[in-house]
Amino acid sequence: MPAAPASAPKVYRPANSQAKGLQRIRLSGEKTAPLSCVGRGLAEGNTPATPAECLRRKDRGGSTDVEAGARRRNQQALEQPLENPADLRYTESHEWVRREADGSLTIGITAHAQDALGELVYVELPDTGRQVGQGEACIVVESTKAASDVYAPVAGEVLAVNEALAADPQTVNSDPFGAGWLIRLRPTDAAAVDALMSAADYSAATDA
């Protein structure tokens, strides 16, 4: 008797998540299927989170004092266009990579990417210890209008994730190259970073 096909991993998503009705997009702007039709594409391989680990919001449209402050900081940041730091490397799918002193890599999405997505309301991060391949979708970022996968720029092991984003995902908007980092990775091949785009090449590609 043939073995039963493996079931798709379950991904926990808060009941107040807007993702079900959102358009699934690539950060390049190319639209794919609606998110409700590609549920198993949400950072496949992640262990389902508990409700306590997910973004605590009673209403996506509501506003607490903390949320209002985050919105103001985000708006101020958006009014000041960010340059692409010269010491980082970049991908065509709008991730950035920074080499750390210990040989690990810090990874996030660029200012161009967060601007295209709009205000983020949820970030789904992979489990530490997970092995990811180059170009593998391993993170999901969700805004008020769209959701998008974030891809591993190089292959490696996830060493750490930015847990602060669970409470304040808008940090990715206000400080994409700093406090809004997403994951830290131990690369399988450190030299693979050299093949990524320079800041000048990435800026030319996004300004075109």
Side-chain angles (χ1 to χ4, degrees), residues 123-172:
V123 178
E124 182 179 302
L125 298 167
D127 296 322
T128 56
R130 175 177 166 183
Q131 296 288 335
V132 296
Q134 184 173 21
E136 179 181 344
C138 56
I139 301 165
V140 175
V141 288
E142 177 185 321
S143 73
T144 54
K145 62 182 180 180
S148 177
D149 289 315
V150 178
Y151 304 91
V154 298
E157 177 188 356
V158 178
L159 297 177
V161 300
N162 190 351
E163 296 178 354
L165 298 180
D168 192 5
Q170 295 89 6
T171 304
V172 177

Side-chain angles (χ1 to χ4, degrees), residues 83-84 90 197-208:
E83 295 184 358
N84 299 307
Y90 301 84
M197 302 170 74
S198 67
D201 289 341
Y202 178 75
S203 297
T206 53
D207 290 342

Side-chain angles (χ1 to χ4, degrees), residues 25-70:
I25 67 167
R26 292 184 181 274
L27 291 178
S28 62
E30 177 187 350
K31 295 181 179 178
T32 60
L35 195 59
S36 56
C37 298
V38 290
R40 67 191 183 93
L42 296 176
E44 280 189 77
N46 289 356
T47 299
T50 64
E53 293 169 335
C54 293
L55 180 61
R56 296 176 177 86
R57 277 186 147 184
K58 292 182 179 179
D59 180 1
R60 292 292 194 200
S63 177
T64 65
D65 291 342
V66 173
E67 291 167 346

Side-chain angles (χ1 to χ4, degrees), residues 84-100 104-111 134 151-154 176-177 190-203:
N84 299 307
D87 61 328
L88 306 183
R89 305 296 284 188
Y90 301 84
T91 69
E92 292 182 354
S93 51
H94 308 289
E95 293 85 16
W96 58 261
V97 180
R98 181 174 64 236
R99 289 185 173 98
E100 303 296 349
S104 66
L105 306 175
T106 300
I107 295 165
I109 63 172
T110 65
Q134 184 173 21
Y151 304 91
V154 298
F177 297 117
V193 178
D194 296 327
L196 302 178
M197 302 170 74
S198 67
D201 289 341
Y202 178 75
S203 297

